[in-house]
Amino acid sequence: MSKQVLAFQDVSFSYQDQQQNRSIPVLHSFSTQVYDREFITIIGASGSGKSTLFRLIAGLEEPDSGSILINGKKYKSRLGQTGYMPQKDLLMPWRTIEENAALPLELRGWRKKDIEEKVRPLLEEFGLSGVEDHFPHELSGGMRQRVSFLRTVLSGSNILLLDEPFSALDAITKLSMQEWLLDQWDKRKATIIFITHDVQEALLLSDRILIFAEKPVCSLQEVAVPLARPRRLKDLDDPAVLELKDHLLAQLRGKVGT
Amino acid sequence: MSRTIWPPAFLLAAFLLGWEAMARSVNKMFILPSPTSIIRKLWELKNPLFLEHLPATLAIVVIGLLISIIVGIGTAVWMSLSPSVEKALYPLIISSQMIPIIALAPIFVLWFGYTIWSKVVVTVLITFFPITVNTFDGLKSGSRELNELMLTMGARKQDIFFKLLVPSALPHFFSGLKVAVTLSVIGAAIGEWLGAQAGLGYFSRRMMTQFDGAAVFAPIVLLSTIGILLFLIVKWLENRMLKWRKHK
Ligand SMILES: Nc1ncnc2c1ncn2[C@@H]1O[C@H](COP(=O)(O)OP(=O)(O)OP(=O)(O)O)[C@@H](O)[C@H]1O
Ligand SMILES: [Mg+2]
């Protein structure tokens, strides 16, 4: 748990609004570290800059100042270095499930035969056997999320950025997907950074929680979750956890300190 | 399929019956020939129609469409790759549709004489527009989010073009092609009216001067048939290449 896989060093970032000719600050001199095989959740109000953080990590945006290190290295372009699962499932409607999942391998120039050998068993493991030749619109929301996650895993990166993957799912599907995700996290030996609106989800899943409370984020609040693994839903009724939950909710509403 | 074919078939049959009855009561076959007389004429004239004039027109339609597809796709891709090319060409392409091509056609006869090319140019001028504009809009319709997602996977420019833009453009291209195919028949016929020595449009017009109503209509029936067949071919191709849409 000591190797750093991701580091923000004094990163500042703002969007330039072309029409109104002003800038929207999102991050101000922000630093943090993420260690190998951690599960981090990021919570924050809508518009607080969570997705922007991912866009920065993935290399879709460049910081105005400061640097972002991936696996200890400072890349010229971070594109292609992380596995990014966007807020919507964003499957290509013209590709079958198998072809959708295989996209990152195709982009890296894998041969058809090798792709098949790699993807087939994973489709099975992700509960997608039998639908590999279907098209995305023929699948349920939970299944589409699994395809999208499989595609993210196949990016081959050790850092997986998951932007509200379960927010569109019903409570029961969500619960089984959460269990399944933890299982995959363990198997893939990955580091996961996970955005959510849902405090309960954050408590159930993560080692540490980063909270976007104020804007711009000068000092991001950081809380460790005082629970061992494996966790069950009723562990969340623990008094210490309940107190933490109240604290988090208060911070999200902007009333810092309880 | 079989259920959707009945209403139009019924309507068409009713229309033809009405026409037949009307033509018989008016009884001026040189102005208003009846459907049966047209079919009889089609049979009578089968040798010149099918051996001489149909191949001539078909050649114009096929060559014209092929050129339109190549030029149309080429222009659309070029415009999608370079915003300055788009700014320069797009308005010109739109305004090219304001030119009354029928009025221009005699000029093409002047330039190309009575060769096939004077007719091909007319066909190309009216069919490249739907292909170009639809393909271009299709190339632009590629989702920005998918584009960014592919970038995070390390995609290069050509990956995005072939794996995102082309598949996004394909349905639009086929819509354009369906319009173009129907227009191509009209283009060929117009071209032939204005200067030709063979072809269905030319033949129809010549029969007009001879007051042979049924012989005017017979080649038009063939022209429509070409249009319908081409449309069905495109439709079939579309269904094959866009399988994912059929499942919807
Ligand atoms: N491309 C952009 N140009 C300008 N401003 C932007 C752009 N994208 C986002 N913003 C602004 O930056 C801020 C942060 O946006 P971001 O999408 O990161 O929020 P978020 O925390 O992910 O919100 P949500 O929970 O709704 O997904 C918002 O105020 C948003 O309006
Ligand atoms: Mg977001």
Side-chain angles (χ1 to χ4, degrees), chain A residues 55 58 60 79-82 84-86 88 90-95 103-104 106-107 135 137-138 151, chain B residues 143-146 148-156 159 163-165 167-168 243-245 247-248:
Chain A
R55 294 175 61 83
L60 290 170
L79 292 171
Q81 300 301 331
T82 54
Y84 175 40
M85 178 172 169
K88 293 187 232 158
L90 289 186
L91 299 175
M92 292 175 164
W94 56 84
R95 281 178 170 244
L103 182 64
E106 242 177 70
L107 291 176
F135 290 97
H137 66 266
E138 299 169 301
R151 183 176 60 182
Chain B
S143 137
R144 213 186 58 121
E145 291 159 313
L146 271 172
E148 287 185 341
L149 179 66
M150 288 183 72
L151 285 177
T152 69
M153 295 174 182
R156 295 157 303 171
D159 295 321
K163 292 182 198 295
L164 173 62
L165 301 188
S168 312
K243 271 207 197 97
W244 56 277
R245 289 210 310 186
H247 287 252
K248 270 192 180 165

Side-chain angles (χ1 to χ4, degrees), chain A residues 15-16 24 26 44-52 87 164 197 215:
Chain A
Y15 282 112
Q16 301 304 322
I24 305 162
V26 182
S46 202
S48 55
K50 304 181 295 296
S51 297
T52 308
Q87 213 156 343
E164 301 194 34
H197 273 113
K215 253 191 95 178

Side-chain angles (χ1 to χ4, degrees), chain A residues 114-172:
Chain A
D114 299 337
I115 290 181
E116 203 162 297
E117 261 167 40
K118 170 96 182 172
V119 177
R120 281 285 156 120
L122 281 171
L123 281 166
E124 169 119 39
E125 194 189 320
F126 279 53
L128 294 165
S129 48
V131 297
E132 48 277 83
D133 295 326
H134 285 47
F135 290 97
H137 66 266
E138 299 169 301
L139 267 59
S140 69
M143 274 175 137
R144 278 205 300 269
Q145 290 293 348
R146 280 205 290 260
V147 180
S148 178
F149 183 62
L150 173 55
R151 183 176 60 182
T152 312
V153 165
L154 284 172
S155 71
S157 170
N158 59 328
I159 306 171
L160 306 181
L161 310 171
L162 314 181
D163 195 345
E164 301 194 34
F166 306 147
S167 59
L169 304 179
D170 62 87
I172 301 197

Side-chain angles (χ1 to χ4, degrees), chain B residues 85-96:
Chain B
V85 172
E86 178 194 343
K87 275 198 200 103
L89 273 186
Y90 201 77
L92 288 184
I93 289 171
I94 302 282
S95 25
S96 79

